[in-house]
Amino acid sequence: MLKKRIIVCLDVKDGRTTKGVKFKNNVDIGDPVEMAAKYYKQGVDELVFYDIMASASGRGPILDLISRVAEQVFIPFCVGGGIGSVEDIRSTILAGAEKISLNSQAVKNPQLITEGARIFGNQCIVLGMDAKKDDSMKSGYRVFINGGRVATDLDALEWAKKAVSLGAGEIVLNSIDADGMKNGYELNLTRMIAESVAVPVIASGGGGKVEHLADVLTQGKADAALIASMVHSMGYTVDGIKSDLAKAGVPVRL
């Protein structure tokens, strides 16, 4: 049976790790380089680094910081934020990233998914998607961009399928409604996308206790769970979470 992955997310703003609720009221919680090293030692399966202001402020990735984080971890490392061209993808990979997350830029230029997958391989191109409940959409969820600040006309399920057909090899699915609330992942949204695409789906937004991860990895059909607050500020460790998941019967790498 395929092992479920635990992924830690570092949201980065002005070179520092930050955490907010529903993408607002972000507070500084530390140095991303030191935090990456700590979570790597705790046995995290992958690390995700999101520059949450890059797209909104119209600039590219901070390559120097990405490279310093990459030096600390020897696991898959995914970088997102402000990557708007094949050259941005190339320079970010050269800085040490194994995977590139395209979110706002993928919506604005879907061809970038195809170009990126053609040159660097599907496994390299991750669709980052921020979705929010909206009953006027066919699936019940609308896609937002620019760090959750701008609504699009895209239906979450249709966009997930389209992005995979364009070449995305994985989806990080973030529920804006659940983000930072620590009340559990959006199981309905996660399961709907996971059952509709043939690539791994990573659940993001809402993890507050181990049961939440167990739920989204089993009932939500997610291939991986992305966590932030739990390890940043709630006293959990990655190895402790994995140990508890294993006891609950969820297959994880110990």
Side-chain angles (χ1 to χ4, degrees):
M1 190 172 183
L2 273 179
K3 302 272 198 248
K4 303 286 188 177
R5 291 171 287 150
I6 305 303
I7 302 173
V8 169
C9 178
L10 302 174
D11 282 334
V12 178
K13 180 182 180 185
D14 305 325
R16 301 281 294 173
T17 307
T18 180
K19 192 72 193 92
V21 175
K22 296 189 178 183
F23 292 26
K24 295 187 179 83
N25 305 322
N26 285 72
V27 291
D28 182 324
I29 55 170
D31 173 14
V33 180
E34 289 171 9
M35 292 172 81
K38 178 175 83 173
Y39 299 135
Y40 174 65
K41 288 191 183 94
Q42 288 178 9
V44 73
D45 296 308
E46 295 187 23
L47 195 69
V48 171
F49 173 112
Y50 285 137
D51 185 331
I52 61 171
M53 294 304 291
S55 285
S57 44
R59 60 165 172 74
I62 313 173
L63 299 173
D64 166 58
L65 183 58
I66 291 163
S67 131
R68 285 192 292 128
V69 171
E71 283 166 7
Q72 300 297 322
V73 299
F74 302 92
I75 48 175
F77 175 40
C78 178
V79 173
I83 298 170
S85 68
V86 167
E87 276 316 304
D88 285 341
I89 296 175
R90 183 176 282 112
S91 57
T92 306
I93 290 171
L94 289 172
E98 273 87 9
K99 299 181 184 182
I100 301 303
S101 177
L102 301 174
N103 188 322
S104 306
Q105 302 297 336
V107 169
K108 293 168 188 172
N109 175 20
Q111 200 51 39
L112 186 58
I113 300 174
T114 307
E115 280 293 286
R118 183 179 65 77
I119 297 167
F120 305 102
N122 300 65
Q123 79 292 340
C124 224
I125 305 300
V126 179
L127 176 75
M129 175 163 54
D130 297 316
K132 193 173 183 180
K133 273 191 185 132
D134 185 333
D135 292 338
S136 69
M137 304 306 282
K138 193 172 162 192
S139 70
Y141 297 88
R142 182 184 293 273
V143 174
F144 281 68
I145 57 169
N146 288 8
R149 288 184 281 279
V150 177
T152 72
D153 294 330
L154 295 171
D155 176 84
L157 179 58
E158 286 173 5
W159 175 230
K161 289 177 175 172
K162 183 177 181 193
V164 170
S165 75
L166 289 169
E170 195 165 64
I171 295 174
V172 173
L173 175 61
N174 188 54
S175 162
I176 296 176
D177 301 298
D179 184 74
M181 299 299 287
K182 305 169 195 161
N183 294 329
Y185 295 85
E186 234 280 23
L187 298 182
N188 177 57
L189 170 65
T190 308
R191 185 170 48 243
M192 174 176 66
I193 304 274
E195 287 178 340
S196 304
V197 295
V199 301
V201 171
I202 298 162
S204 169
K209 53 185 185 179
V210 175
E211 289 83 352
H212 295 155
L213 279 79
D215 286 347
V216 83
L217 292 169
T218 54
Q219 298 166 42
K221 306 286 179 78
D223 296 271
L226 192 124
I227 53 174
S229 304
M230 284 178 72
V231 286
H232 294 340
S233 58
M234 294 174 68
Y236 285 94
T237 61
V238 176
D239 41 357
I241 290 169
K242 285 186 166 187
S243 171
D244 287 348
L245 284 170
K247 284 176 195 151
V250 180
V252 288
R253 290 189 191 93
L254 292 170

